[in-house]
Amino acid sequence: MADNELELVDKAAKRKKLILIGAAVLLLVIAAGGYFLLSGDSSAPEGGVEEGPVPTGSPESTAISGTALYVQMPRPFVFNVAGSNRDRLVQIRVQIMVRGDANQALALRHIPLIEGTLLATFSAANADELITTTGKEELKNRALIDLQNAMLDVVGTVVVAEILFTGFVMQ
């Protein structure tokens, strides 16, 4: 009888110990997750954005400040590009990143301008360049600059902060 009582006490003590260890691990995971979510990244984004303060009234400030929102282009861009051996057919799916609700509304209002500018930039590319990752990055950067200039001419602000290729097929 005494052995049964000791076994029950041991099992209860082990169960308590496991519950306490589990709670401590869960608390550490929650604390680590909270730290990473709240700490943020203070480094400047790469690619085309200059370091240093941007004056609040400048057109560039509207493109790099605010919450990041994404605008999906309604249809993929399909075009032919010339190559050294043969012409190739390319299909690119694009989303543009804007900062803030106002820029998102502007981007949605000017979808035809965005599509036309991107298609003109994409179709001027060379198939031999698009085969490489570097060539794709250069095309993306060229398209971003062309699109920012077009939006600056029409709207008066840069609007687009980044261009993202969400699909890229070349045949």
Side-chain angles (χ1 to χ4, degrees):
M1 180 89 172
D3 289 336
N4 287 340
E5 288 179 13
L6 285 176
E7 287 179 19
L8 290 175
V9 169
D10 282 345
K11 286 182 181 178
K14 286 181 183 179
R15 187 176 296 151
K16 270 187 177 179
K17 192 182 245 184
L18 285 176
I19 290 173
L20 286 175
I21 290 173
V25 168
L26 181 64
L27 184 62
L28 285 173
V29 168
I30 290 173
Y35 172 76
F36 286 115
L37 287 175
L38 297 176
S39 66
D41 185 17
S42 62
S43 65
E46 294 181 16
V49 178
E50 297 177 8
E51 292 187 19
V54 177
T56 341
S58 72
E60 291 84 11
S61 68
T62 58
I64 61 171
S65 62
T67 304
L69 301 170
Y70 299 91
V71 177
Q72 173 77 39
M73 292 295 101
R75 58 197 147 271
F77 295 91
V78 179
F79 54 94
N80 290 318
V81 290
S84 60
N85 296 335
R86 64 183 177 128
D87 293 351
R88 294 184 178 258
L89 181 68
V90 179
Q91 177 185 0
I92 302 177
R93 291 191 177 276
V94 174
Q95 287 192 16
I96 58 172
M97 184 179 78
V98 297
R99 297 284 184 168
D101 293 329
N103 284 340
Q104 183 183 30
L106 284 171
L108 289 171
R109 187 177 310 137
H110 294 284
I111 290 287
L113 172 67
I114 293 169
E115 285 182 327
T117 304
L118 290 177
L119 187 58
T121 303
F122 292 162
S123 60
N126 184 339
D128 299 327
E129 296 170 355
L130 294 181
I131 292 174
T132 65
T133 306
T134 307
K136 291 174 190 170
E137 284 296 320
E138 288 175 5
L139 178 65
K140 193 183 336 179
N141 292 336
R142 206 171 337 141
L144 177 62
I145 291 168
D146 291 348
L147 184 55
Q148 286 178 336
N149 288 334
M151 293 299 284
L152 189 59
D153 290 343
V154 173
V155 180
T157 61
V158 174
V159 179
V160 178
E162 190 67 42
I163 293 178
L164 305 164
F165 291 169
T166 56
F168 192 100
V169 178
M170 185 163 58
Q171 295 181 349

